[in-house]
Amino acid sequence: MPFGHFIDVTPMLQERGVLDVILQVYNEKKQGFQIRQSLLVFRAEDVTLILGLRCDGDIVSFKNEKDESNFEKKFLHKMHNRHRNAIKDNLLTIVLSKKHKDEQTFVKLLVVYFMTMIMFPNSVLHASLFVARYADNLASLGCYAWAHATHR
């Protein structure tokens, strides 16, 4: 068990898939993993240790703003453009382009991709609109409490 050193339990043998086991022991009421008599709760500080994200800073808002940026209009305006594969295709197009490479757009798309796949994943593999607002302002990315937002 990868987190066995956090709690004092003997190893459990399961024949189901790992994800199924994890979901089976999650206690939504207590917001933690109930493993026999132990409750394993992950805090934002644990997310900081696991993912290396900042724990202090400005609060991340999950609300969508009505004003779209040029970046958002060009790359994320339509639902199919926000799918993981479309974002990946746009990243590859920029990398493989023989014309002038737009590094800033590449970095913004990469930030959206990471936020969509690692920090704020969803079952449909689409980027949430709120991530574009943060990716669009690269200079302020370091000001936010990303560990708290990811934990939420």
Side-chain angles (χ1 to χ4, degrees), residues 9-132:
V9 296
T10 56
M12 293 180 276
L13 297 176
Q14 296 288 333
E15 294 183 15
R16 297 180 293 245
V18 174
L19 184 57
D20 186 39
V21 172
I22 291 171
L23 292 174
Q24 293 286 328
V25 298
Y26 186 73
N27 184 326
E28 192 172 351
K29 215 179 212 181
K30 296 180 182 178
Q31 294 190 342
F33 298 92
Q34 188 72 48
I35 304 172
R36 296 195 180 146
Q37 275 65 30
S38 299
L39 181 68
L40 177 61
V41 178
F42 285 95
R43 302 166 298 139
E45 292 79 11
D46 300 317
V47 174
T48 294
L49 291 173
I50 294 166
L51 297 178
L53 297 172
R54 184 177 176 171
C55 199
D56 61 339
D58 297 338
I59 295 171
V60 175
S61 172
F62 295 104
K63 294 179 182 175
N64 299 328
E65 290 192 0
K66 296 181 183 192
D67 296 333
E68 288 182 315
S69 66
N70 289 333
F71 165 73
E72 190 176 347
K73 286 177 188 173
K74 184 174 180 181
F75 292 99
L76 304 170
H77 181 67
K78 296 183 179 169
M79 182 62 104
H80 69 274
N81 291 343
R82 294 196 327 255
H83 190 273
R84 172 187 66 179
N85 293 339
I87 297 169
K88 187 167 61 173
D89 289 344
N90 280 321
L91 286 166
L92 287 171
T93 299
I94 293 171
V95 169
L96 300 174
S97 172
K98 293 182 181 182
K99 299 176 187 175
H100 173 70
K101 297 192 188 311
D102 186 355
E103 291 177 16
Q104 190 171 22
T105 299
F106 176 83
V107 172
K108 288 177 182 182
L109 277 172
L110 193 59
V111 167
V112 168
Y113 188 79
F114 285 147
M115 285 183 173
T116 302
M117 295 299 106
I118 298 170
M119 297 167 62
F120 310 109
N122 57 45
S123 60
V124 293
L125 304 175
H126 281 83
S128 299
L129 284 176
F130 82 90
V131 300

